[in-house]
Amino acid sequence: MLSVIQPVLHKNGLILIQPPTSTCDGVSIILTRLIHVESGQEITSELPIFLPDDMGNKPMFTWGGSLTYGRRYAIKMILGIEADMDCNTEPVEVIEKKNQPVVKTEPPKASEDGEALTKQFIAYVKKNPDKVDSVKTRLSDRYGEGKITEKQRDLILQAILETEDK
């Protein structure tokens, strides 16, 4: 998340710092500061660091994990954003389903092999029915160059026809 957020903040003259500290009562917190460098104005947020009762046999690892999660949530709160996917509490099957490869949204490149190329042409046609004419041209080129077989060309043409019929 930081790799996406930091460049945008820096471009807008902002820095984000998050030192762990404690309140006057001795409660461990993450102090999140979003600072406008030029004016010195800042927004701050204090979030307690929640630790489990049983720190296990690696207490520093447990503390670091709590600090990492706390920092992430503090950033989301201070910037008013929600990350694309928070999978900390989801079952493995749900996470795996979400992490399935995304179908390409561009026409396939000439360097890709025939079978993969066929699947990508079909997926592209289904997702971009308005670009059927350009797909037909590329398909003709790939077939003429011997990049796909006649059978593969026919499968793609069938997908194009189904798309055009809708």
Side-chain angles (χ1 to χ4, degrees), residues 8 11 40 55-56 65 68 74-75 88 106 108 112 116 123 131 148 154 159:
V8 175
K11 185 176 179 179
M55 295 285 282
T68 298
I75 291 169
N88 300 329
E106 296 180 9
E112 296 172 14
K131 302 206 175 166
I148 59 173
D154 291 345

Side-chain angles (χ1 to χ4, degrees), residues 20 30 49-52 55 58-72:
I30 298 166
I49 299 172
F50 296 101
L51 299 171
M55 295 285 282
K58 296 182 179 179
M60 187 57 99
F61 181 78
T62 303
W63 178 83
S66 294
L67 190 64
T68 298
Y69 282 116
R71 283 181 167 158
R72 182 181 311 142

Side-chain angles (χ1 to χ4, degrees), residues 29-34 43-47 74-75 77-78:
I29 63 168
I30 298 166
L31 175 62
T32 302
R33 298 174 61 200
L34 181 62
I43 300 171
T44 62
S45 168
E46 295 180 359
L47 182 69
I75 291 169
M77 287 186 300
I78 205 164

Side-chain angles (χ1 to χ4, degrees), residues 22-129:
S22 59
T23 65
C24 57
D25 302 352
V27 176
S28 294
I29 63 168
I30 298 166
L31 175 62
T32 302
R33 298 174 61 200
L34 181 62
I35 305 166
H36 184 252
V37 177
E38 191 175 317
S39 68
Q41 292 180 325
E42 67 181 72
I43 300 171
T44 62
S45 168
E46 295 180 359
L47 182 69
I49 299 172
F50 296 101
L51 299 171
D53 293 333
D54 178 12
M55 295 285 282
N57 61 353
K58 296 182 179 179
M60 187 57 99
F61 181 78
T62 303
W63 178 83
S66 294
L67 190 64
T68 298
Y69 282 116
R71 283 181 167 158
R72 182 181 311 142
Y73 294 126
I75 291 169
K76 289 166 48 174
M77 287 186 300
I78 205 164
L79 296 177
I81 60 173
E82 182 60 43
D84 288 341
M85 183 173 76
D86 186 357
C87 57
N88 300 329
T89 59
E90 292 180 328
V92 173
E93 301 82 39
V94 174
I95 295 168
E96 287 173 352
K97 187 174 182 180
K98 285 183 178 180
N99 289 333
Q100 296 271 327
V102 177
V103 175
K104 290 187 176 184
T105 58
E106 296 180 9
K109 306 281 188 276
S111 63
E112 296 172 14
D113 73 320
E115 186 132 349
L117 193 63
T118 302
K119 289 178 183 176
Q120 290 175 17
F121 262 117
I122 291 170
Y124 184 78
V125 165
K126 288 180 179 178
K127 282 190 165 259
N128 302 282

